[in-house]
Amino acid sequence: METDILDGTGLKLQLSPDQMSLLAQYTPVTQRRVLDAGQLREAIEALGYGELFVSQDALEQLLQRCAVSPAAFTLQIGERRDATLALQLSDDMMSATLSIQPAFGGRRITREEVEQALSRAGVVCGILYDEIEAAVQAGQASKLVIAQGTAPLPGEDSQFISLIPEMATQMPQLSDDDTADYRNLGDIVSVSLGDPLLRRTHPTTGVPGVNLLGVELPTSDGVDIPFAENLTGIACDLTDCDLLVAAISGYPVIVPHGVIVEPVFKLKRVDLSTGNLHFKGSLEISGDVCEGMEVTATEDITVGGVVEAARVKAGGNIMIQGGVIGHGKAVQPGTMVSRQEMAQLEAGGGVTVQFAENAAISAGGDIVIRELAMQSELTSGGSILVGETGGRKGHIIGGVCRAVSLVHAVVIGSHAGVPTVIEVGVDPALNRKLETVQENLAEKQRQLDELTKTLAYVKENPGSMEAGLLNLKQRIYTKCQGELAELTGEKKRLQKRLEINAQARVEVERDAFLGAQIRIGSSTLLVEEDLTNPTFTLGEQGIAY
């Protein structure tokens, strides 16, 4: 049945006898109506041949021949096509992909055909039946994965799982020389003795894989990784050797294959909101230590800011990034501020500060002051170094400096002639010990004198004291006599040990001003005129420079 579209065009469309081809028959007509390719396609759809494959080239060729041919002709413009499938296997035989060219009025691909293609290719494992069904229903596919091998799964090595959630992302900072500084970690979480810190898991067994052809793919088992050696501050749990617990109170740091506990306490500043601090371990204070506060630690103390008129005492070293500044002024030149108003530092090790003003600093090791020591009392069991060699800053103005071996400064004293005392060659620790022994001796002697008077009075006035109390007083008197003899012996021993250090010296890079006083051992020299770059040592005739 012709459609209205083809009326007056001389064209007729019909299937070939075998129903496989679409033929266009042309018969010349007068006043022929001209078609375009779009109208021709509409006619094909209207006649029910829309499912067939019709090439655009064939339609163009038909229309061109209609325009020029004086005679009738028949031309094939379309055909019935069956769907086709293509199966492709990857080189590693781990995946198979399916492509289906859709049917054009022909036979569609069936699921059985796809499965037969897989079987012919030797695929026996990892077939994805749902994907095949979906492709067959859709009637087309482009490189769709329809079979997937199983990759081998290697065993997992021992894992180290932090049991401190806050610590999960924490890592030590790297310093300039690429060494890990485990003390500089920002906010640190505290743990107590026995707290669980880290769990080690056992390695897992690997799972072999299999490719599409059913060939097993080998794998490897996980490695049993032990805890790192030399971990500090931790112990294995008594009932679980894969669990590390804290052996001390302090601050945990995750390291490769382990955890350590640092006995360091960190805080921002010390003021009335924190109260005084007494810590067994090291302290790191990022800000200031405010006036009137007291900070003690059995190990090191680091302060990022300034120490005001406070008391800081460490069993180890004291490092202060800023200065140490006490309050109050000297009543008259040369007199020291009272101890309560001064900043007080005491360290078993060394002390390093930027500057010191109205400060009392005592160190078993060296004292290093980068810029200035003013009206301060410095006592060192080693050396006192003020200023950096070759630098412009490094003044000692006023106060007293005592060191066993060396005092080094850029300038000592000032143009104003501020009295400045520098003392070397005697161990200040022994001096302090001797002072304490002498104070104790005086106190014991006073007690003994009082007891002597009391016992003499009772002897002259029998019955004036109850017998039990008299007996106690006599026992105390005997004990006091023994302690006095012991202290006297200690005093003699200390005096012998207070030998002058023959190598002790005072080095001044630039100026030693009038008014400075140098003491080496028991010799004293008053600087009576400004000196340039002197080094004071002890000679046979006393202090020489």
Side-chain angles (χ1 to χ4, degrees), residues 152-157 204-209 217-223:
L153 187 67
E156 195 176 65
D157 297 346
T204 60
T205 307
V207 180
L217 306 175
T219 186
S220 58
D221 293 338
V223 178

Side-chain angles (χ1 to χ4, degrees), residues 165-186:
E166 301 92 329
M167 296 294 291
T169 58
Q170 187 174 29
M171 290 299 285
Q173 304 290 312
L174 288 179
S175 57
D176 294 339
D177 58 356
D178 273 348
T179 57
D181 178 8
Y182 289 112
R183 287 188 171 80
N184 183 21
L185 290 159

Side-chain angles (χ1 to χ4, degrees), residues 243-420:
L243 177 66
L244 294 185
V245 298
I248 57 171
S249 294
Y251 296 85
V253 182
I254 299 294
V255 298
H257 304 160
V259 60
I260 59 175
V261 177
E262 289 281 11
V264 180
F265 185 76
K266 284 194 177 192
L267 68 167
K268 289 183 178 172
R269 58 186 282 142
V270 179
D271 56 19
L272 290 172
S273 69
T274 64
N276 293 333
L277 290 179
H278 305 282
F279 187 69
K280 289 179 181 176
S282 294
L283 280 171
E284 284 187 25
I285 301 157
S286 56
D288 301 338
V289 178
C290 296
E291 180 179 352
M293 304 310 296
E294 189 172 293
V295 179
T296 63
T298 55
E299 294 175 31
D300 298 344
I301 296 177
T302 305
V303 179
V306 171
V307 174
E308 296 176 18
R311 186 157 182 261
V312 178
K313 183 177 180 181
N317 301 317
I318 295 176
M319 163 75 78
I320 296 168
Q321 298 294 337
V324 181
I325 184 161
H327 298 310
K329 292 187 173 71
V331 181
Q332 60 194 47
T335 61
M336 296 297 289
V337 176
S338 79
R339 280 261 174 175
Q340 275 68 32
E341 294 173 313
M342 297 176 85
Q344 297 177 54
L345 305 187
E346 188 180 330
V351 172
T352 302
V353 302
Q354 192 72 14
F355 65 87
E357 187 174 335
N358 291 334
I361 301 177
S362 168
D366 294 345
I367 295 175
V368 177
I369 297 175
R370 298 189 191 97
E371 293 183 4
L372 166 74
M374 180 181 276
Q375 295 296 6
S376 293
E377 188 180 318
L378 311 180
T379 307
S380 163
S383 304
I384 295 175
L385 310 169
V386 183
E388 292 171 4
T389 305
R392 291 176 56 214
K393 296 175 178 176
H395 293 54
I396 300 175
I397 301 173
V400 181
C401 291
R402 300 186 191 90
V404 172
S405 56
L406 167 70
V407 172
H408 178 105
V410 176
V411 174
I412 288 177
S414 72
H415 289 292
V418 177
T420 305

Side-chain angles (χ1 to χ4, degrees), residues 20 28 44 103 175 235 263 275 283 382 443 471 520:
M20 294 304 288
I44 292 169
S175 57
L283 280 171
E443 178 61 24
N471 188 18
I520 303 180

